[in-house]
Amino acid sequence: MNRTHRRVPLVIGVAACLVAGLAACAPGGSGPSTSASTGPVSKTVTKDKITLTVWDQNTDGGIDTAQQQLNKAFEAKYPNITIKRVSRSFADLKTTLKLALSGNNPPDVVQANQGYPDMGAFVKGGLLRTESDYAKLYGWNSYYPQSLLKLNMFSSDGKDWQTGNLYGVSQTGELVGVYYNKKVLSQIGVSAPKTLADLESDMAAAKAKGILPLSYGSLEKSPGIHLYGVVQAALAGSTAVDDLVTLKSGSWTDSANVKAAQTIADWSKKGYLTSGSSGVSQDTAVSSFGAGKSAFLIDGTWQEATVAKDLGDSNAGFVALTPEGASAPVTQGGEGLAWAITSKTKNANAAAAYIDFITNESAANTLIKTGNLPAVFPSGYTPPSGTLTGDIDTQYEKISAASSVVPYLDYTTSTFYDTMTAGMQNLVAGQMTPAQYTASLQTDYAAFKKEHG
């Protein structure tokens, strides 16, 4: 989730690929079609003057800069094509995209969040066009590891995730982890954490010195997914979380999940989190951390450019926590929102050419230069040491090699985003107990599993 972004897990075999190579629209109108029409596909783009309407959620500094550069370069290559860009925050995109896609004049290209709430619902409604044919045409099937591709796949009825047709490819890689201020940690005499116990010890030391331990703002609600997910992953481990989110096994009331909720409730009571966080925006929390007013920030790699600019690339660090007894860090992440082609577009070939242009190896170099993490590293790329960029890229490689990235938790059911994020606000505010919170998640989960069959 851009800041709020999310995204999807890298699973098996990504490391080799990483190292080697590694709008306006009119809402309302007609209802969704039941099937997306396709026909012969080609890399040849029309010579007619056309406008591609593109909805993205690349609103943060670094990725916004990259997107502007890539759009300008695409228009230079195809001077008959104008990109009409509509950029919205993750939260805004979630609340407006389905209506836009259902209208008479939907965008041509959109960034769609993976999982059942968004991509699954859009596929079910016939609102997205499959990209399986374009993946073969442009070589996306070999450029991306299968572990990333399958996260953008759904059965044609939108019922089964990670199988069937491809409905998008991703531009960026993502991890959610712990940013830290090296000067502040030195000031309070602690080292960068590696485990949840380390982090709690460091936060206690910061609190004792009168320094806010963790900047946290959840006005947009979605940051609650990241906060809970980081703690849950560190306690439960990758297999348990992955099995839970993919409906294979487990319960949200399992002891590790309740303990994660209890841990966060305790942090709130101890004053480790920004006071009144439900009324604090995520941008405000990031700015506070960047101004040196706290020791830590739990957020995604989409904040890399912003944090590096505010604290300095050599003064900021990033780490994903390693569960007790595990050999590698475990955290949420994988890849950014999928770039999808809408089913009603009249310019599918141009839309596919645009998506390829902003996600290929050349685009990956642009992403790195602008402080972003590409989904696949360019051939021969070596992360710079001693910098925030180096920390993030190295963690991405390490976690990918260990296949220890877990899915964003809101992918779990079609309603889980709302259930989880609203509950997290109540949990942090002390208006819901850890047991009540995890029970509410399990109720949502059980209902979806029963309906899903």
Side-chain angles (χ1 to χ4, degrees):
M1 288 171 233
N2 130 10
R3 61 195 34 297
T4 345
H5 327 275
R6 294 53 162 3
R7 316 43 150 118
V8 227
L10 300 172
V11 199
I12 301 171
V14 180
C17 297
L18 292 170
V19 174
L22 264 319
C25 72
S30 64
S33 60
T34 56
S35 63
S37 61
T38 58
V41 297
S42 173
K43 288 186 178 180
T44 300
V45 175
T46 179
K47 300 297 183 183
D48 297 336
K49 283 190 173 296
I50 63 171
T51 296
L52 282 181
T53 301
V54 178
W55 279 35
D56 70 53
Q57 57 107 53
N58 289 341
T59 56
D60 290 323
I63 192 64
D64 178 57
T65 299
Q67 198 61 48
Q68 291 184 44
Q69 292 181 10
L70 291 170
N71 285 357
K72 183 177 181 180
F74 180 79
E75 290 178 325
K77 182 177 180 179
Y78 300 99
N80 61 309
I81 300 178
T82 299
I83 301 298
K84 185 176 183 179
R85 183 185 179 203
V86 178
S87 192
R88 298 176 182 270
S89 69
F90 178 77
D92 287 345
L93 194 70
K94 276 192 71 71
T95 57
T96 59
L97 187 54
K98 187 172 184 179
L99 185 61
L101 291 175
S102 303
N104 290 327
N105 186 28
D108 299 285
V109 176
V110 300
Q111 279 196 279
N113 195 21
Q114 295 88 349
Y116 290 102
D118 293 341
M119 182 179 283
F122 300 157
V123 172
K124 183 178 181 180
L127 303 176
L128 300 181
R129 181 201 188 283
T130 175
E131 294 180 11
S132 294
D133 45 4
Y134 285 115
K136 184 177 181 181
L137 182 69
Y138 280 100
W140 297 340
N141 289 331
S142 57
Y143 180 70
Y144 290 94
Q146 183 62 25
S147 53
L148 290 186
L149 288 172
K150 73 177 186 179
L151 296 165
N152 292 328
M153 297 172 71
F154 260 100
S155 58
S156 58
D157 59 4
K159 185 175 181 180
D160 296 315
W161 182 34
Q162 301 190 27
T163 187
N165 297 321
L166 183 71
Y167 286 95
V169 292
S170 298
Q171 181 183 45
T172 56
E174 289 186 356
L175 294 176
V176 176
V178 182
Y179 288 92
Y180 56 91
N181 184 322
K182 295 178 182 178
K183 290 181 180 177
V184 170
L185 296 197
S186 177
Q187 179 183 343
I188 60 179
V190 301
S191 301
K194 294 181 180 179
T195 67
L196 184 62
D198 292 342
L199 177 62
E200 292 195 278
S201 177
D202 288 358
M203 290 200 295
K207 183 66 177 177
K209 293 285 187 179
I211 297 171
L212 175 65
L214 180 66
S215 286
Y216 177 64
S218 67
L219 180 63
E220 304 88 348
K221 294 187 177 180
S222 58
I225 298 170
H226 305 148
L227 180 62
Y228 182 81
V230 163
V231 178
Q232 181 201 36
L235 290 170
S238 60
T239 300
V241 177
D242 189 69
D243 286 351
L244 193 59
V245 176
T246 56
L247 312 180
K248 293 177 182 175
S249 64
S251 167
W252 288 91
T253 55
D254 288 345
S255 59
N257 301 324
V258 177
K259 186 175 181 180
Q262 184 65 60
T263 298
I264 292 168
D266 291 343
W267 288 0
S268 182
K269 290 178 182 176
K270 293 176 181 177
Y272 288 181
L273 310 179
T274 301
S275 178
S277 58
S278 295
V280 178
S281 72
Q282 188 176 28
D283 283 345
T284 298
V286 173
S287 295
S288 175
F289 174 72
K293 296 180 179 178
S294 64
F296 299 104
L297 171 75
I298 289 179
D299 212 320
T301 50
W302 49 85
Q303 299 291 3
E304 175 186 340
T306 299
V307 172
K309 178 182 177 182
D310 291 346
L311 284 183
D313 201 25
S314 60
N315 184 41
F318 179 90
V319 65
L321 302 178
T322 301
E324 295 292 342
S327 59
V330 178
T331 193
Q332 302 172 90
E335 59 184 347
L337 271 63
W339 290 84
I341 301 173
T342 61
S343 60
K344 292 182 180 178
T345 182
K346 297 177 181 177
N347 302 295
N349 285 340
Y354 173 75
I355 290 174
D356 182 72
F357 189 88
I358 63 170
T359 60
N360 62 21
E361 185 170 15
S362 177
N365 282 305
T366 298
L367 291 167
I368 290 172
K369 290 176 183 176
T370 49
N372 300 285
L373 176 64
V376 179
F377 286 128
S379 178
Y381 174 71
T382 301
S385 62
T387 65
L388 177 61
T389 299
D391 281 359
I392 288 174
D393 293 355
T394 301
Q395 292 277 291
Y396 189 64
E397 288 182 320
K398 183 182 297 184
I399 291 172
S400 300
S403 299
S404 57
V405 169
V406 297
Y408 287 103
L409 305 179
D410 55 300
Y411 295 160
T412 305
T413 80
S414 57
T415 54
F416 217 66
Y417 178 89
D418 293 330
T419 302
M420 167 161 268
T421 58
M424 273 296 292
Q425 286 188 331
N426 290 331
L427 177 72
V428 171
Q431 297 171 352
M432 181 178 273
T433 68
Q436 290 171 332
Y437 174 62
T438 51
S440 72
L441 299 180
Q442 180 58 26
T443 298
D444 186 311
Y445 185 67
F448 183 78
K449 286 191 72 173
K450 183 178 180 180
E451 178 184 346
H452 197 74

